[in-house]
Amino acid sequence: MPDLIATLTLLIALELVLGVDNIVVITIIVSRLPEEARRKARFIGLTIALLARLVMVGGVSFILAMKDPVLLHLSVRDLILLGGGGFLMWKAIREIHHTVELIEEHDTKVVNPKSAFWSAIALIVALDLVFALDSVITAVGMTESLLTISLAVIVSFIVILFAAEPIGEFVLKNPTFKILALSFLITIGIVLMLEGMHHEVPKAYIYLPMGFAAMIQLLQWRLFMNQRRNAQEVQ
């Protein structure tokens, strides 16, 4: 029993770390939707992604078979990681350009709201599955209990569901944090592509610097807020 609890705790922690990536991705995807549609898009997208993850856990033998080479020594898993990582990099670089150049403020292109809504959900699900592929394979290597893996996925989903909106809206309202989050996405995209080419990158080398950069940015934001408050008090 203690071993089961320890494994479950470790799996939940792994899912939550990957969940930070998901929150960043979801924030960027829904940022161009009307504010009233963002919550609905997050909920529907994450719910579909959760069901897809549980299906992946149930079909774990098929997932493991995706590691067999199919093209130029690359497996289906490798091709998914390469495609997902490349898309993340393209999306993040494009969004950084739009944010810095203020292109989104002058975008006059007419987009069907319904089409944009369902496109956002499709992107959320597709990119979540890219992250899920590695996490499911890692989880199966830690335990053979599919019930334990499923429970970890469900618990992490509930946490992400509640954290996605406040974190996402904060990032959108603070452009410097948005650029930092997009920079993280570029890093994650590079790591996914490296893993797709069989170059394993220790996760600690990625998440520790990202966490440190986020803490520095939070301190700078706190300093700015204090300076603005003091200036208002003097006036």
Side-chain angles (χ1 to χ4, degrees):
M1 189 65 178
D3 290 341
L4 182 62
I5 294 175
T7 302
L8 177 61
T9 303
L10 191 58
L11 285 174
I12 291 174
L14 173 65
E15 290 291 335
L16 288 178
V17 169
L18 294 174
V20 174
D21 301 339
N22 275 347
I23 290 175
V24 173
V25 170
I26 291 169
T27 297
I28 303 308
I29 291 174
V30 304
S31 63
R32 295 187 182 279
L33 294 178
E35 190 169 348
E36 63 274 10
R38 291 175 188 170
R39 179 181 298 179
K40 186 177 179 181
R42 288 189 192 99
F43 180 78
I44 295 176
L46 282 172
T47 301
I48 295 174
L50 168 65
L51 296 176
R53 281 194 182 212
L54 293 176
V55 170
M56 289 176 69
V57 172
V60 68
S61 57
F62 174 74
I63 298 299
L64 292 176
M66 293 173 69
K67 298 173 69 176
D68 298 332
V70 294
L71 177 67
L72 300 176
H73 303 292
L74 297 174
S75 65
V76 173
R77 167 187 174 272
D78 297 332
L79 294 173
I80 292 174
L81 291 178
L82 285 169
F87 179 80
L88 273 183
M89 290 178 62
W90 171 79
K91 184 71 173 174
I93 292 172
R94 181 172 178 268
E95 289 292 336
I96 287 176
H97 174 65
H98 281 199
T99 301
V100 172
E101 300 298 332
L102 302 178
I103 292 176
E104 57 190 350
E105 295 184 5
H106 307 289
D107 191 2
T108 58
K109 184 172 63 174
V110 177
V111 180
N112 186 323
K114 190 173 182 179
S115 175
F117 179 80
W118 288 108
S119 294
I121 289 175
L123 271 178
I124 290 172
V125 174
L127 290 175
D128 181 84
L129 292 180
V130 172
F131 291 122
L133 182 62
D134 245 10
S135 69
V136 169
I137 292 175
T138 302
V140 171
M142 295 171 61
T143 178
E144 296 181 356
S145 173
L146 299 185
L147 180 61
T148 302
I149 298 173
S150 299
L151 186 58
V153 169
I154 292 171
V155 171
S156 64
F157 164 79
I158 293 172
V159 175
I160 293 169
L161 186 62
F162 283 98
E165 182 174 355
I167 294 176
E169 293 302 317
F170 175 81
V171 168
L172 291 178
K173 291 176 181 177
N174 294 272
T176 54
F177 279 97
K178 183 178 179 180
I179 292 174
L180 181 65
L182 289 167
S183 301
F184 289 167
L185 278 189
I186 294 174
T187 303
I188 295 165
I190 293 172
V191 171
L192 288 176
M193 294 189 72
L194 286 173
E195 290 182 351
M197 293 185 287
H198 304 163
H199 296 288
E200 294 297 325
V201 180
K203 294 297 187 292
Y205 290 175
I206 303 302
Y207 290 107
L208 286 178
M210 286 169 60
F212 181 74
M215 286 300 299
I216 295 298
Q217 184 61 46
L218 280 170
L219 289 173
Q220 291 178 331
W221 174 78
R222 180 66 177 171
L223 173 62
F224 171 75
M225 295 299 291
N226 287 336
Q227 288 174 334
R228 188 168 69 174
R229 184 187 60 197
N230 290 342
Q232 290 174 347
E233 289 176 354
V234 169
Q235 293 175 357

